[in-house]
Amino acid sequence: MKTTTPGMWNRLLGQEAAVGVLRASLASDRVGHAYLFVGPRGVGRAPAALALAASVNCLDDGCGTCAICAKVLRRSHADVHHISAEGGQIVVDQVRALREEASRAPFEGRMKVFIIDEAERLNPAAGNALLKVLEEPPSSALFILMTDAPDDMLPTVVSRCRRIDFVPLGFTEIVEILTQHHGVAEDRAAWAASAGGNLAAALRLSKDPAAEERRERHLSYPERLARAGLSSAISLAGEVRVEADEAVDRLKVRQKDEIKEHAEAYGEARGTAAARKRLEVRHKREARRTEQQTYEIVLTDLAAWYRGALLARHGDGAPDAQIEAALGDCALSAPTTSFVDALERIEATRVALSRNAQAGLALEALFMHLGSIG
Ligand SMILES: [Zn+2]
C-alpha cells in the first residue's frame, strides 16, 4: 500500500484525512484554486503544501525524487512562492507582488503556487487585496493559505478557500510515528516528542546525532550545581547561550545555501530585491525560533531530571536509562519539596523565555535558584 503513495505524500503521517482529500482531488484532476490548511504548527501543514505544490508540477504525481520535486522541497522552485509575515503582518504590498506574479505564465512548471504561512497575519488591506485575487484566480495559479487561527481571518477570504483540517498530534502519536515509521528507539522517541513539542521538531531532534550528547550534558547540570553550587550557575547559563549560538550558526549554513539557490533561480534582476528582503526576514525569524527551541530543549531535559529524581524518591524508578544514569547520589539527598520547587522554577523560566525575556538573565536566575536547593 505504502509503495503506491508518491514520495512527497508518504512522509505525511497522522494526517490521513487531509491527505486523502488532497490526493483524491489530484487523482480526479479537480484541484481547486485556493486551499486553507488549518491546524497547529508542526503537524504537517507545510509538508502537505509542498507535496501539493510538487504534485501539480511534477510529471510523476509528486514522486519526491525528480528534479522538480527536489526543487520544491528545497524551496527553490521558481514557480513556488512562499509568503510570510514581515514585522508581524502580511502587508498589501506583498499581496500586490503576489497578484502580479500570479498573472504571469509559469516560469518552469505547469502551475504557479503561492504558499502563505500564518494567513491570519494578513492585515485588512492585504486580506481585501487577496480576496480580489481569489475571486478571479488566474487559471494556472494555486493558493495555499496556512493558519492555526482561521477565526482571525477575513471570513470572505476563508469562504473562498477549500478548507483542509490538520489534526493536532499528541505525545503518543508522535512517539508512534517516530518508532514505527522512522525507526527511532522508544526512549529516544519519547524524549524527542517531549522536547520537540510537535512532530516536525521531534523528527529533527531524533535524527540529530549530536542531540543525545547535548541531552547528556543538560542532564549533568543538576549534579554540577549540587557540587559547585552558585559558582557554576553563571558558567552553566553561559554554556546554554553558547549552545543556542551554535544552533543558530548551523541554521545559518543552511540558510546560506538557500540564499545561493534563490540567487540562481531569480538572478539579480529588477524586482528581485523584494523577494530577497522577504527571504532575509524569514531567516531572521527562523534564527529566533531556533534559539528559542534550544532553551526549550535544555529546560525540558532539566525538568526530566527533577521529575526523574521525584520518581526515584518514590521508588517508581527513572523514566529512562539516560536519566537514571544522570541521577546519581544527589537525587537521593535533597528533600522532595525542593524538586517540586525546581520544576515550578523551570516552568516559570520557560514561560518567561517564550515571552522574550532576556535569556542570559533568566537562565542565570534559574541556575542560581537550582544551585541553592538541596
Ligand atoms: Zn517528482
Side-chain angles (χ1 to χ4, degrees):
M1 170 91 187
K2 253 188 86 189
T3 50
T4 60
T5 311
M8 293 295 286
W9 294 97
N10 68 20
R11 305 177 308 138
L12 280 155
L13 300 164
Q15 301 295 350
E16 284 73 18
V19 170
V21 173
L22 293 170
R23 300 254 307 134
S25 320
L26 283 164
S28 58
D29 214 10
R30 284 215 305 262
V31 176
H33 277 292
Y35 286 91
L36 181 62
F37 286 5
V38 178
R41 180 172 287 283
V43 297
R45 293 175 321 176
L50 292 178
L52 188 56
S55 296
V56 296
N57 280 304
C58 163
L59 303 173
D60 193 14
D61 216 12
C63 66
T65 49
C66 71
I68 295 166
C69 286
K71 274 190 188 173
V72 172
L73 266 176
R74 287 202 311 266
R75 291 170 160 238
S76 61
H77 193 290
D79 292 315
V80 180
H81 299 266
H82 296 266
I83 293 101
S84 54
E86 290 174 4
Q89 289 191 327
I90 299 173
V91 297
V92 71
D93 278 351
Q94 290 174 271
V95 178
R96 285 202 189 110
L98 171 155
R99 186 172 56 199
E100 203 188 315
E101 189 64 48
S103 67
R104 296 193 197 120
F107 184 68
E108 57 175 319
R110 289 184 291 187
M111 289 277 266
K112 277 196 178 272
V113 184
F114 299 87
I115 300 172
I116 304 179
D117 194 14
E118 298 182 296
E120 74 281 1
R121 291 179 186 264
L122 282 155
N123 70 17
N128 278 312
L130 182 65
L131 181 62
K132 291 210 182 78
V133 183
L134 296 181
E135 277 167 353
E136 284 174 61
S139 59
S140 61
L142 166 62
F143 301 91
I144 305 171
L145 284 63
M146 304 193 286
T147 188
D148 59 2
D151 294 345
D152 294 346
M153 294 174 59
L154 277 184
T156 42
V157 169
V158 172
S159 70
R160 283 275 157 189
C161 302
R162 178 137 187 225
R163 176 172 170 150
I164 307 280
D165 284 289
F166 288 73
V167 293
L169 299 175
F171 174 82
T172 320
E173 286 152 314
I174 296 175
V175 172
E176 202 177 293
I177 290 171
L178 293 181
T179 52
Q180 294 180 9
H181 297 275
H182 296 274
V184 180
E186 188 90 34
D187 270 14
R188 195 166 164 75
W191 166 73
S194 62
N198 66 45
L199 177 61
L203 205 58
R204 225 176 14 250
L205 278 176
S206 64
K207 299 210 160 153
D208 180 353
E212 199 146 345
E213 235 168 81
R214 289 198 292 272
R215 186 187 191 218
E216 209 169 302
R217 194 167 67 224
H218 305 153
L219 290 174
S220 76
Y221 290 168
E223 210 205 334
R224 283 169 62 186
L225 284 164
R227 256 193 290 116
L230 296 181
S231 65
S232 60
I234 310 275
S235 67
L236 288 184
E239 265 184 43
V240 175
R241 294 299 305 277
V242 169
E243 185 179 330
D245 288 346
E246 285 170 354
V248 172
D249 286 345
R250 286 194 298 276
L251 171 76
K252 281 188 177 153
V253 173
R254 295 198 295 277
Q255 290 180 338
K256 236 179 175 171
D257 289 342
E258 202 185 332
I259 291 167
K260 214 174 100 200
E261 273 170 8
H262 193 269
E264 278 164 13
Y266 295 100
E268 304 277 319
R270 206 167 66 89
T272 60
R276 269 202 306 280
K277 175 80 193 152
R278 279 196 288 279
L279 190 64
E280 205 177 287
V281 171
R282 174 159 66 77
H283 283 175
K284 277 200 185 128
R285 201 180 46 222
E286 282 174 1
R288 270 202 304 279
R289 206 177 285 150
T290 297
E291 189 186 345
Q292 205 68 45
Q293 173 88 56
T294 305
Y295 301 140
E296 197 76 42
I297 291 169
V298 171
L299 297 177
T300 300
D301 289 341
L302 277 174
W305 190 96
Y306 288 99
R307 219 174 295 114
L310 268 177
L311 282 174
R313 288 298 285 278
H314 292 295
D316 291 334
D320 72 45
Q322 217 178 345
I323 293 176
E324 192 172 4
L327 282 180
D329 295 341
C330 53
L332 297 170
S333 53
T336 305
T337 47
S338 62
F339 295 144
V340 176
D341 178 53
L343 284 167
E344 279 165 5
R345 275 295 176 128
I346 292 167
E347 177 57 19
T349 307
R350 201 187 58 76
V351 171
L353 287 173
S354 73
R355 291 182 186 149
N356 286 327
Q358 224 238 321
L361 291 177
L363 290 167
E364 272 172 27
L366 172 67
F367 284 124
M368 291 228 222
H369 186 83
L370 297 179
S372 70
I373 63 174

